[in-house]
Amino acid sequence: MTSSLREPRTEHLYGEDAYPDRPPRARSGTTAAGRGTRQRLPHRLSAALDHIDGDDLRLFDEPGPRARRRAAVLTAASLVLFTALLAWVLRQFAAHGQLDPAKWRLFGQWPVLRYLLDSLAATVQVTLVSGAIALPLGILLALARLSGTGWLSRPAATYVEVLRAVPLLLLVYAFLLGLPAAGLRLPLFWQLVWPIALTNAAVFAEIFRAAVRALPAGQREAALALGFGHAQTLRLVLLPQAARQSAPALVSQSVRLLKDSTLGYVVSFLELLNAAKVLGEFNHTVIQSHLVVALVFVVVNGALAHGAARLERRPAGRRTTARAARPPG
């Protein structure tokens, strides 16, 4: 008698899944087809979630035969159009003598190669030093925004929003023209590094903050239940997971750091793109110099993008392996 009085109330609270050994009750206005759909829904939802959690992160349905044919036709048409455009560009280059071997033989000489390699080393140095400053500063800004303390979170939020809104070129001009007017002169290297570092620190802060906010709420709740404080929860539980989750985004942002270094021409710093400009104007090979440097940037950025893709696939692969190795039941 007691159990019969308790059952309807428990069902109301927890639903019919609390009693897996009992058949589901028919409700008013519910057909057999509706009950079958409702029984198949959890299985389909679980399969969909497992698929989303795998390597292929898609937010759209699998294309059908017509969509695949249309995509194939559009891809082929794009390739034909790109090939025709490339052939036209090469023809124009040949007509104006830009494909003359004498203009390309210059890049096989060791003094020119050493000049370009030195400028590439300067570009890499700017990128590494800017990242070494921007990454810790971004972590501190993210921690300040997540601290929940007004006198820390409000200035950090203001810094992030302002530096993300101000163009980097304007900040470079501020260091180039504003600081000397105030009596502070920096070397050319730091006139380029500091604007890049300060701007990208705001981006890194948002990457870390978004990674922490994306973690399941149970992580924080479990840490607090174990007696951890807010700072311990961030330092020992949330930040290590957020660092692993945000690794692909951080590598992708490092590509942005490398491209930001091309603003060295503003402060007359001889990075790779500025070196190509000087070399092309001196030897009358402007197009050839910029094409060679563009190829170098494509190779370097492609390597970084490939590293980001590998980092993005690794966590999914580990989760899939762990799921496959887990015993059933």
Side-chain angles (χ1 to χ4, degrees), residues 57 87 226 258 268:
L57 302 178
L226 291 174
L258 184 66
S268 300

Side-chain angles (χ1 to χ4, degrees), residues 1-11 19 22 25:
M1 182 67 179
T2 306
S3 61
S4 63
L5 291 176
R6 191 180 292 120
E7 277 185 1
R9 187 172 182 179
T10 309
E11 285 184 8
Y19 300 90
R22 288 172 37 185
R25 295 184 305 167

Side-chain angles (χ1 to χ4, degrees), residues 221-242:
E221 295 170 359
L224 295 177
L226 291 174
F228 288 5
H230 180 73
Q232 285 181 314
T233 301
L234 277 176
R235 181 169 57 89
L236 299 176
V237 179
L238 299 182
L239 278 183
Q241 299 182 66

